[in-house]
Amino acid sequence: MKAIYLVGFMGSGKSTFGKQLADGLGISFFDLDQVIENRTGKSIPQLFQEWGEIRFREYEAEVLRSFAKEEDDFVLACGGGTPCFHDSLAWMKSHGYTLFIDTPFADIEERLKGSEAIRPVLMALRQTKNEDSMYQLYIQRREIYLQAASILGPERLNVNEVIHMLNS
Ligand code: S3P
């Protein structure tokens, strides 16, 4: 069984790389946010609004675990917060292979421009009026992401190389 978990900050490119990796491996790609939206019939911003973040994080951790039981071979792009709550990074490490997409902050900032409406955490950061709040969260979460089994900086973000690494 191949269970590959991609972690990284919002806008780091988990879905884009995840689809390419899954194609290269000939297995299915999933996005955890999408799995959550399919199961609840609600969008992520709606869930944050109706449930609040604490309940969202509990549900996210539950879906992560139940999803892995139901699927066999997959690449799963996690939400930016998934590994940071409920010991989920440790759980993923013991149930599959974790890859951190380590995209530089400047690129992330650029990619996230204008995406507040679909990213409630980003919206909340903007509302703090503290210009550094996103960078602070990035630094704080990066410490957690760095515990993944492999770290892929931009220079190592190559599907063939990663497949070779996974097979060796
Ligand atoms: C979140 C990231 C989002 C989504 C939710 C919370 C976060 O996923 O799970 O809005 O806490 O960083 P992406 O990383 O796919 O944007």
Side-chain angles (χ1 to χ4, degrees):
M1 191 190 105
K2 259 198 186 76
I4 299 169
Y5 298 96
L6 300 186
V7 301
F9 206 73
M10 295 172 271
S12 57
K14 291 163 292 193
S15 294
T16 308
F17 184 72
K19 282 179 195 154
Q20 295 168 0
L21 181 60
D23 271 358
L25 289 166
I27 60 178
S28 303
F29 169 79
F30 297 91
D31 178 297
L32 187 61
D33 285 341
Q34 213 133 35
V35 176
I36 292 173
E37 293 186 337
N38 292 344
R39 288 196 184 182
T40 57
K42 294 183 178 183
S43 70
I44 300 293
Q46 244 177 320
L47 292 172
F48 265 75
Q49 202 183 4
E50 289 178 20
W51 292 355
E53 183 169 359
I54 294 177
R55 183 161 164 215
F56 175 81
R57 295 305 179 191
E58 282 167 4
Y59 186 73
E60 178 183 45
E62 255 173 58
V63 174
L64 171 70
R65 289 156 175 78
S66 64
F67 171 85
K69 270 193 209 143
E70 291 158 20
E71 294 294 330
D72 280 335
D73 295 333
F74 59 84
V75 174
L76 179 71
C78 296
T82 314
C84 310
F85 295 86
H86 300 289
D87 275 330
S88 289
L89 184 64
W91 186 87
M92 288 186 263
K93 287 178 76 170
S94 62
H95 288 81
Y97 196 81
T98 48
L99 283 169
F100 167 32
I101 312 293
D102 191 13
T103 304
F105 183 70
D107 296 352
I108 286 182
E109 230 183 350
E110 193 53 41
R111 288 191 202 157
L112 289 179
K113 274 185 187 155
S115 70
E116 290 80 2
I118 55 161
R119 291 190 160 101
V121 168
L122 187 62
M123 175 82 95
L125 290 172
R126 300 270 196 246
Q127 284 165 351
T128 62
K129 306 264 188 282
N130 169 1
E131 282 194 9
D132 281 342
S133 61
M134 184 157 106
Y135 184 65
Q136 284 160 6
L137 185 67
Y138 168 84
I139 292 295
Q140 193 185 316
R141 285 185 170 179
R142 192 165 178 275
E143 286 304 308
I144 299 169
Y145 302 147
L146 281 170
Q147 295 162 34
S150 282
I151 298 150
L152 299 179
E155 72 295 343
R156 292 190 59 209
L157 208 59
N158 174 296
V159 172
N160 293 331
E161 259 182 52
V162 173
I163 292 176
H164 180 75
M165 181 184 82
L166 291 170
N167 289 330
S168 59

